[in-house]
Amino acid sequence: MLRLAHEQAMQYPSVEIDYPFGPDNAVYKVRGKMFMMAYELRGVPSLNLKIDPLDGEVLTDAYAEISPGYHMNKKHWITVAGEGDSAGGDRLDAELLHDLVLESYCLVVTKMSKRDRPVDPDVFGGRGDD
């Protein structure tokens, strides 16, 4: 999970990795604004991702691997924990992980002034193709 999220995030324009909380906590930023943090919590691979509050509620109800953001604003961040391969029920798959990383990136870009945005968040990565 951490490798997939890293590979995806590094393909996005203007992404940098920082380690403000130590070498075991990779913080992914777009133009200086955090959109993802990758770390291990008690040996469990984990990601913190920005999320729309309504989507966050739905996701935390639907997936055991997703909970309100660990050490983050519980309304605007989620934590995705584990490899997503637990037995039974709905499982977090690579496609959902891709969508969550993309959404987090775009939510942060949306808050930037239009001249500072590295991409148009409404269409980047296929968003808006409904």
Side-chain angles (χ1 to χ4, degrees):
M1 176 182 73
L2 297 181
R3 180 184 50 78
L4 287 174
H6 168 81
E7 289 172 359
Q8 179 182 342
M10 294 312 296
Q11 294 179 33
Y12 297 161
S14 301
V15 170
E16 296 179 344
I17 303 175
D18 192 13
Y19 297 88
F21 308 115
D24 297 329
N25 299 287
V27 174
Y28 293 75
K29 297 179 179 181
V30 53
R31 301 262 162 100
K33 304 290 185 185
M34 180 174 142
F35 71 94
M36 180 172 80
M37 185 166 76
Y39 55 97
E40 284 197 16
L41 179 63
R42 295 181 209 78
V44 177
S46 301
L47 295 171
N48 284 354
L49 297 163
K50 194 156 184 66
I51 194 78
D52 174 85
L54 294 177
D55 291 341
E57 287 181 34
V58 170
L59 289 165
T60 57
D61 287 344
Y63 295 92
E65 299 90 350
I66 300 176
S67 60
Y70 178 72
H71 279 292
M72 304 295 283
N73 178 311
K74 307 283 188 240
K75 183 176 180 182
H76 295 280
W77 291 85
I78 56 171
T79 295
V80 180
E83 294 299 331
D85 58 0
S86 59
D90 288 327
R91 271 183 276 220
L92 187 70
D93 61 18
E95 186 175 334
L96 178 56
L97 180 63
H98 175 276
D99 291 348
L100 293 174
V101 173
L102 175 63
E103 183 67 14
S104 183
Y105 176 87
C106 288
L107 283 171
V108 171
V109 170
T110 296
K111 297 291 185 183
M112 297 176 179
S113 67
K114 287 192 180 192
R115 69 177 162 79
D116 290 336
R117 293 176 180 172
V119 298
D120 179 347
D122 294 329
V123 296
F124 179 71
R127 293 175 92 223
D129 291 345
D130 293 332

